[in-house]
Amino acid sequence: MSSDPGEVTLAVEAGVAQVVFNRPQARNAMTWAMYEQLVSISRQLSAERGVRAAVFRGAGGQAFVAGTDIEQFTAFRTGEDGVAYERQIEACIELLCGLPMPTVAVVEGWCVGGGLAIATACDFRLATPGAKFGVPIAKTLGNCLSIQNVARLRAAFGAQRCKRMLMLAEFIDADEALACGYLHAIDTPDNIGAAATALTQRLGALAPVTQRVSKAAIERLATHDLAASDDLIRTAYGSNDFHEGVAAFVAKRSPVWSGQ
């Protein structure tokens, strides 16, 4: 892991919160500390009724968030470590989904794994033409997502695109993400900041209570009454393939999958 742990920052101006994932030298890959900062920021924003919209953006222009920093998984030993991790991530994503104000993700470049979960937790997404969306864990780590995050991806992309991302390790480009409704709009790197400002201004002029209850209803429809999935998470994170995937990534070699 890079010696720079990165940070997630919050600034509020004129009723709009700006949340920045700031670890550009690692494509804004999330450390445990960054997840904790995101949780703290989400709790703070949940109590800020004066904030009318929140914008989430990665620093550096090359990535939104390139997932969780994989080297942190070297400490995992059993499937229970995976269950605890996915519960931690899900608690963070639930806070994002539950924010009372509309949220906008500005995606430049890579939006991967946990980063895709964060972007999907936002209400609207803007992207540059070169943005890529995916969860290539079938190619890299051999782990899995929580069933709640799979449900959100299915609601946002459709089941078949989820299978392409999760089972074929394919990336969805910006044009396809726009066509399927995942993106609100595509804009150039020079203009996307202005596009985000224009969108937050539109959102800020509308009824906050309607927005709040509508987004809560959509989230409930996506994730309500889901089947238990700890057994699936335990199987993935407890597998030899997961440990092989982490070791191969850290050693910068291709993993050799055994199916065990």
Side-chain angles (χ1 to χ4, degrees):
M1 187 171 66
S2 169
S3 59
D4 183 351
E7 61 180 348
V8 184
T9 64
L10 169 66
V12 179
E13 183 177 356
V16 177
Q18 300 284 343
V19 180
V20 177
F21 303 99
N22 189 11
R23 196 176 176 231
Q25 76 285 355
R27 290 182 175 175
N28 304 317
M30 297 284 282
T31 62
W32 301 153
M34 290 173 71
Y35 277 119
E36 290 171 1
Q37 290 165 354
L38 181 57
V39 165
S40 178
I41 286 170
S42 298
R43 288 174 175 159
Q44 181 178 342
L45 288 176
S46 293
E48 294 283 352
R49 287 295 186 262
V51 174
R52 294 291 288 109
V55 176
F56 293 78
R57 190 170 189 173
Q62 300 300 309
F64 178 70
V65 169
T68 300
D69 190 301
I70 290 177
E71 290 192 19
Q72 296 179 124
F73 291 124
T74 57
F76 282 34
R77 294 293 177 265
T78 70
E80 295 303 324
D81 293 323
V83 170
Y85 164 72
E86 290 297 338
R87 286 177 179 170
Q88 176 186 354
I89 298 302
E90 176 55 26
C92 179
I93 298 300
E94 280 187 354
L95 283 172
L96 286 176
C97 291
L99 288 177
M101 71 288 294
T103 52
V104 178
V106 176
V107 179
E108 300 173 271
W110 299 98
C111 184
V112 182
L116 185 62
I118 292 169
T120 305
C122 292
D123 300 307
F124 298 91
R125 288 156 292 276
L126 305 173
T128 53
K132 300 286 187 182
F133 305 88
V135 193
I137 50 180
K139 184 177 181 180
T140 55
L141 293 192
N143 60 332
C144 65
L145 301 182
S146 72
I147 197 166
Q148 293 91 340
N149 277 321
V150 173
R152 295 185 185 102
L153 290 180
R154 181 188 63 179
F157 283 101
Q160 200 59 36
R161 287 186 184 86
C162 287
K163 289 180 180 180
R164 285 169 53 198
M165 287 190 283
L166 293 169
M167 299 172 66
L168 278 172
E170 287 187 4
F171 280 89
I172 304 297
D173 65 20
D175 287 339
E176 184 175 356
L178 178 66
C180 76
Y182 183 74
L183 292 180
H184 179 71
I186 298 173
D187 215 323
T188 65
D190 289 341
N191 293 334
I192 198 164
T197 298
L199 181 55
T200 58
Q201 288 174 344
R202 286 180 60 193
L203 289 165
L206 300 172
V209 174
T210 297
Q211 292 171 335
R212 185 164 68 247
V213 300
S214 296
K215 66 181 290 182
I218 292 168
E219 169 68 5
R220 289 182 190 180
L221 287 170
T223 61
H224 187 60
D225 287 340
L226 294 175
S229 66
D230 282 359
D231 61 320
L232 304 178
I233 295 170
R234 194 174 291 113
T235 296
Y237 282 91
S239 68
N240 292 334
D241 274 355
F242 169 67
H243 295 293
E244 163 65 8
V246 173
F249 184 91
V250 172
K252 295 181 171 57
R253 61 173 174 80
S254 297
V256 178
W257 307 117
S258 68
Q260 301 296 319

